[in-house]
Amino acid sequence: MKSVKAFAPATVANVSCGFDILGFAIDAMGDTVELVLKDEPGLRVVSIEGDQGRLPLEASKNACAVAIQAMLDELGINPGIDIYLKKGLPLGSGMGSSAASAVAAIVAANELLANPFDKKDLLPFAIVSEKVACGAGHADNVAPSLLGGFVLIRDYHPLDVIKLHVPDQLYCTLLHPHFELNTADSRSVLRDQIPMKVSTIQSGNVAGLIAGLYQEDYDLISRSLKDVIAEPYRAVLIPGFYEIREALKDAGALGVGISGSGPTLFALSKGVGNSAKIAAAAQEIYQTIGLEVDTYFSKINTQGAYVIQG
């Protein structure tokens, strides 16, 4: 095998109450990576499409190359691989852009090398890449992008990741306004300590959301989609957040929250009809606050990353 191409989907991290421990994948969009074997050893990032020239081609700083290098180090080998990245996700969007790149890269590399790892065992390599791309090795984007569906990161030491049940009629609408919000800036407004009362409320919402997913209880899911830890501080960075949230709930959203570190918002709903109504309502409300917005809606992606050709 001389070349392999793989795709990894966009993701929503945190899912309101699940700060740094919950995430899910969506069907609407993602990144594609093609790998080609070359004679000279080492990794080379040959081209990146769709980034407006902003992402680094230097292998030590590129999410794709860092993830692949972590895999090669584990295997103790040094093949020659050329990397071609096609970005389907905007940068600084809160949709797991760097995660999708890294995940597509390691899935393609695993296939190129005759699958030395099971899919779930690729996750640590993507986490290494997130440390370089975002400054923190969180798994709430890379895990759902790799595995698909709703994912809970129960612990990191050792890594313990659990796929959760996804109700068949659960849909997501993504609202991506035309401005960027850096992860570092979004994290800088958070508090290092929280009161025990706040922690208790958040724990109840996380438990309620997971129970709602398994019981396919959409009312319980709706009641649980509340964040008392990060959202109160991050909302001020997103113009019109509270007005948008209320308008989308009126349009049928079970809940509305910040996707990852923002500025993209997500809205969960029951059925494709409600999801389409939410997208239409979002266009109207964003117009009133003077922001352009791209809207996407789809079912939850339960497949995760996959090989397109190989």
Side-chain angles (χ1 to χ4, degrees):
M1 189 178 300
K2 296 295 184 181
S3 67
V4 173
K5 186 182 293 184
F7 172 84
T11 50
V12 170
N14 300 333
V15 198
S16 291
C17 56
F19 181 70
D20 279 357
I21 63 170
L22 284 177
F24 64 83
I26 65 165
D27 278 332
M29 55 204 305
D31 285 0
T32 303
V33 172
E34 182 177 10
L35 304 181
V36 180
L37 285 176
K38 61 185 178 75
D39 293 332
E40 181 185 353
L43 302 179
R44 180 174 62 180
V45 183
V46 178
S47 69
I48 303 174
E49 296 180 34
D51 71 327
Q52 293 78 48
R54 296 170 55 192
L55 293 177
L57 291 170
E58 185 179 344
S60 63
K61 298 179 181 178
N62 181 274
C64 298
V66 170
I68 296 171
Q69 188 62 59
M71 176 194 292
L72 299 179
D73 290 345
E74 180 70 18
L75 292 171
I77 59 175
N78 186 31
I81 300 176
D82 281 344
I83 301 168
Y84 300 81
L85 168 62
K86 185 174 182 179
K87 293 295 298 177
L89 297 177
L91 307 183
S93 63
M95 291 189 280
S97 179
S98 62
S101 298
V103 167
I106 57 171
V107 167
N110 197 47
E111 181 76 12
L112 190 68
L113 300 173
N115 294 294
F117 297 98
D118 291 336
K119 191 177 187 182
K120 62 181 177 59
D121 295 327
L122 297 173
L123 185 56
F125 309 132
I127 292 175
V128 170
S129 178
E130 284 288 81
K131 290 180 182 178
V132 173
C134 304
H138 298 295
D140 49 353
N141 283 121
V142 289
S145 186
L146 176 67
L147 303 173
F150 260 88
V151 176
L152 166 68
I153 298 90
R154 193 202 65 82
D155 200 358
Y156 284 89
H157 307 289
L159 188 61
D160 190 2
V161 174
I162 302 103
K163 284 195 69 172
L164 306 175
H165 177 71
V166 179
D168 184 60
Q169 286 299 305
L170 190 63
Y171 280 75
C172 176
T173 306
L174 283 182
L175 319 168
H176 173 56
H178 289 192
F179 74 94
E180 287 187 25
L181 181 57
N182 293 328
T183 299
D185 294 337
S186 191
R187 281 194 171 269
S188 69
V189 300
L190 301 180
R191 301 297 186 265
D192 292 330
Q193 297 181 342
I194 57 173
M196 184 176 292
K197 181 180 179 180
V198 173
S199 175
T200 302
I201 293 171
Q202 193 87 337
S203 297
N205 285 332
V206 171
L209 176 56
I210 293 173
L213 292 173
Y214 277 95
Q215 296 173 13
E216 303 203 1
D217 185 335
Y218 293 92
D219 288 336
L220 179 54
I221 291 171
S222 179
R223 298 198 304 274
S224 303
L225 285 170
K226 297 174 183 174
D227 176 18
V228 294
I229 290 179
E231 186 179 284
Y233 302 105
R234 287 180 165 174
V236 299
L237 303 176
I238 300 174
F241 173 78
Y242 292 108
E243 294 88 345
I244 295 165
R245 186 177 68 179
E246 293 312 307
L248 299 188
K249 285 184 178 179
D250 291 342
L254 298 172
V256 179
I258 302 169
S259 179
S261 58
T264 296
L265 304 184
F266 77 93
L268 291 179
S269 60
K270 182 179 181 181
V272 65
N274 281 328
S275 198
K277 290 178 184 177
I278 292 164
Q283 290 286 350
E284 291 184 13
I285 188 68
Y286 272 98
Q287 187 174 13
T288 65
I289 62 176
L291 273 177
E292 291 187 39
V293 64
D294 297 321
T295 60
Y296 315 88
F297 59 91
S298 74
K299 296 188 74 170
I300 307 302
N301 176 318
T302 57
Q303 180 183 11
Y306 59 89
V307 173
I308 298 173
Q309 65 180 36

